[in-house]
Amino acid sequence: MAPCKNPRYWTHRAWGAERLYRASHWFWVRHWRIPSLVVKYINILLFRCYIDPQAVIGVRLDLPHGGFGVVIGPEVVIGDDAIIFHNVTLGHANPGPLLIGHRLYAGTGAIILGPAQIGNDVTIGANTTVTFDVPEGATVVGPKAKTVFREPQL
């Protein structure tokens, strides 16, 4: 496995909600729907974390607070090295995919509703509601989601 490129990532073993999502997704892609849904509901009961087994999430997902209150919908695709704090909602707005690049950092209570495309190396501040496309390297904050910083493209 390649090393993590997210400077905020703290190397650790995936446990709890992350591991149960991986098991649920593993069952789902093999068309074992009932075991997949059972594992998903165990994740909800134990960790209060709703991650749909249809969601596609890259390696090294980090849920620092055990995934408490995290909701990830079925049409969400997340790249590698994502850090998602508690009470974050991804997806579940209008029909259509929510595509998120590598190295996402989503602060507490952030809401990202699709369909939208979020670039690589994006930081979403706490309690920010994002309903639009976000370019690579941007920082988005505030209840009305303003882009306050954007890394220069080389």
Side-chain angles (χ1 to χ4, degrees):
M1 182 181 299
C4 179
K5 295 181 180 176
N6 191 338
R8 297 183 183 115
Y9 187 80
W10 184 276
T11 305
H12 70 288
R13 295 183 63 96
W15 65 280
E18 296 114 326
R19 181 137 320 163
L20 286 174
Y21 157 74
R22 297 282 179 212
S24 177
H25 184 71
W26 186 87
F27 284 127
W28 188 266
V29 297
R30 284 157 182 77
H31 303 288
W32 295 357
R33 303 299 192 230
I34 293 175
S36 175
L37 296 176
V38 167
V39 172
K40 178 181 87 169
Y41 286 113
I42 290 171
N43 201 359
I44 293 170
L45 290 172
L46 293 178
F47 299 102
R48 303 295 188 254
C49 180
Y50 178 95
I51 303 177
D52 202 284
Q54 293 171 299
V56 178
I57 302 174
V59 297
R60 292 181 298 273
L61 169 66
D62 187 10
L63 302 173
H65 298 279
F68 186 82
V70 171
V71 176
I72 300 177
E75 294 186 21
V76 176
V77 177
I78 302 174
D80 299 339
D81 304 321
I83 300 174
I84 301 172
F85 278 83
H86 53 287
N87 295 328
V88 171
T89 301
L90 303 175
H92 286 303
N94 298 325
L98 175 60
L99 305 174
I100 299 173
H102 302 300
R103 297 171 297 282
L104 168 73
Y105 182 87
T108 302
I111 300 171
I112 306 171
L113 302 175
Q117 189 164 7
I118 310 297
N120 296 330
D121 302 306
V122 169
T123 300
I124 308 292
N127 297 317
T128 300
T129 301
V130 178
T131 58
F132 55 87
D133 292 351
V134 178
E136 290 193 16
T139 298
V140 182
V141 296
K144 294 186 180 179
K146 292 183 181 180
T147 302
V148 295
F149 176 74
R150 187 171 174 193
E151 292 178 2
Q153 299 292 328
L154 298 177

